[in-house]
Amino acid sequence: MRRDAPGGVCPACAQAARGPVLGRLLVTGAYVEGHANEIRRRVANVAARAAFTQPERRVLAVVRHDGSLEILTTSQKLAHRLARELQKAFRGAVSYAWSDRDGELLAVWRREE
């Protein structure tokens, strides 16, 4: 270990701390209420796998709102990947909308029971 190396914050930690949120995934539908823990586990597994090769792509928060989940990410690609993986694992429908203003991705995954 080098003792003369300069200290600092890793780029991934800096981006997570300062933002911005570039990916937003809304997980909605009746299915979410009974399967929220499974969905959260799938999100955590996909995010961990993505962080292995691209550590700057992180899940910043998973917030529960009246029967739905909102997942905030540091990148559009991670939000897109999470939505696609939820669709593959649990079926349902996905829609994507990119903002012209700041490039943010809003992905919506929905499954009714």
Side-chain angles (χ1 to χ4, degrees), residues 47 49 94 112:
R49 196 171 66 231
V94 178
E112 299 303 332

Side-chain angles (χ1 to χ4, degrees), residues 24-39:
R24 187 178 307 271
L25 170 59
L26 298 177
V27 179
T28 65
Y31 185 82
V32 176
E33 193 63 39
H35 299 87
N37 288 336
E38 295 167 47
I39 292 168

Side-chain angles (χ1 to χ4, degrees), residues 10-21:
C10 80
C13 295
Q15 183 181 7
R18 74 174 182 275
V21 171

